[in-house]
Amino acid sequence: MPRRVKDFIDISEYTSLSDLIRYLETIRDNLPPEHEAELKIRGDDVFGRRLTITYFREQTAEELEIESRYNGATKAGDADIEELRHKLDDVPLRREGIPKV
């Protein structure tokens, strides 16, 4: 089953009301099923404010391919790290210059 990812749409504060309404209607009409969309105001007085719409969508084929490449590499990398950890456990620790307590 593909994973769902959270996606973002930002709308700047410099948008006319008519454009904003039209834009929000277009976004609403094109959201995927079970999107769980939310609208928030983000930002501050220094960097400006914007409306941010967040929603969930299914991963694209390209995202699935990239994730599968990294998942396989992670499992192999975990085994390599575990093997290296065992080798380091066998290295004797010299305590020169460290006072014994």
Side-chain angles (χ1 to χ4, degrees):
M1 181 173 93
R3 230 170 36 100
R4 292 176 61 190
V5 293
K6 194 170 213 177
D7 214 344
F8 300 87
I9 299 171
D10 282 334
I11 303 170
S12 73
E13 64 181 321
Y14 303 107
T15 305
S16 73
L17 183 58
S18 297
D19 288 343
L20 176 63
I21 292 169
R22 190 170 43 255
Y23 193 52
L24 291 173
E25 287 174 341
T26 303
I27 291 170
R28 182 196 58 206
D29 295 343
N30 291 297
L31 285 171
E34 300 179 18
H35 50 76
E36 300 177 32
E38 295 178 346
L39 176 70
K40 294 181 181 179
I41 298 174
R42 298 191 180 217
D44 57 31
D45 292 335
V46 176
F47 295 104
R49 299 189 193 284
R50 65 191 177 284
L51 294 175
T52 300
I53 301 166
T54 59
Y55 64 96
F56 286 101
R57 62 169 174 76
E58 299 293 325
Q59 283 183 317
T60 64
E62 182 181 3
E63 290 168 335
L64 282 171
E65 179 187 340
I66 291 170
E67 185 173 300
S68 67
R69 276 191 274 163
Y70 285 106
N71 280 344
T74 302
K75 291 174 186 171
D78 289 347
D80 291 342
I81 289 172
E82 192 64 25
E83 179 184 344
L84 188 58
R85 188 178 67 77
H86 287 298
K87 286 180 182 178
L88 287 172
D89 286 343
D90 295 336
V91 175
L93 178 64
R94 293 187 307 181
R95 296 182 175 243
E96 296 174 10
I98 299 175
K100 291 185 180 183
V101 182

